[in-house]
Amino acid sequence: MASTSVSRVVPADPGTVWRLVGGFHALPDWLPYIPESTPQEGGRARRLRNADGGTIVERMTAFNDRERHYTYTILEAPFPVRGYLSTLRVHEVPEAPGSAEVEWTGRFAPDGVSEEEAVALFTGIYSEGLAALETALTA
């Protein structure tokens, strides 16, 4: 299994950040790459449409509102991986009041590409996503 993790400190308190990112169907509120999220399975799954019109189907496997994190798996996507499992987490930053650290991690098995290519793909997605989150928080 390959893995990657990207984190970013953003200029908003953890509660504010979690209110924006913590809803499993909230990606369109902060991630321009995903303009649409349609709930499925009573809200435990989501069918996402990306900016290119492609479809990604994900299922939430864990959610903790108090600890500010959720974990999900990809069921269907145009990505060259299998066994994808990811967590989005918001942390307090004790030394920087009014800020939060957002961490996006994933593990997966490359499928038809090298481990380096798969890691680079998701590192890029996570980095761009967290940059977009910071933009949404400061807009």
Side-chain angles (χ1 to χ4, degrees):
M1 293 292 270
S3 64
T4 188
S5 180
V6 175
S7 66
R8 186 178 191 108
V9 175
V10 296
D13 68 88
T16 298
V17 176
W18 183 244
R19 281 188 293 280
L20 180 58
V21 303
F24 189 57
H25 303 285
L27 287 178
D29 297 338
W30 60 273
L31 189 61
Y33 177 70
I34 303 293
E36 183 180 313
S37 177
T38 304
Q40 297 184 318
E41 298 179 13
R44 298 276 305 164
R46 60 189 178 193
R47 177 174 292 278
L48 306 171
R49 184 177 53 80
N50 67 24
D52 299 327
T55 299
I56 304 162
V57 179
E58 300 172 336
R59 179 178 294 129
M60 183 171 33
T61 59
F63 179 87
N64 189 312
D65 193 46
R66 188 178 66 72
E67 294 180 7
R68 299 185 188 106
H69 65 84
Y70 69 79
T71 300
Y72 64 96
T73 185
I74 291 179
L75 303 177
E76 174 188 325
F79 304 128
V81 298
R82 53 186 162 53
Y84 177 97
L85 186 69
S86 182
T87 299
L88 187 63
R89 181 181 308 269
V90 178
H91 300 279
E92 289 187 30
V93 183
E95 62 276 9
S99 295
E101 180 183 18
V102 184
E103 179 183 27
W104 201 346
T105 63
R107 70 173 199 245
F108 39 82
D111 189 8
V113 298
S114 70
E115 182 172 316
E116 293 79 19
E117 290 171 304
V119 167
L121 171 67
F122 286 102
T123 300
I125 289 171
Y126 299 168
S127 295
E128 290 173 18
L130 295 182
L133 172 61
E134 183 169 358
T135 298
L137 287 163
T138 58

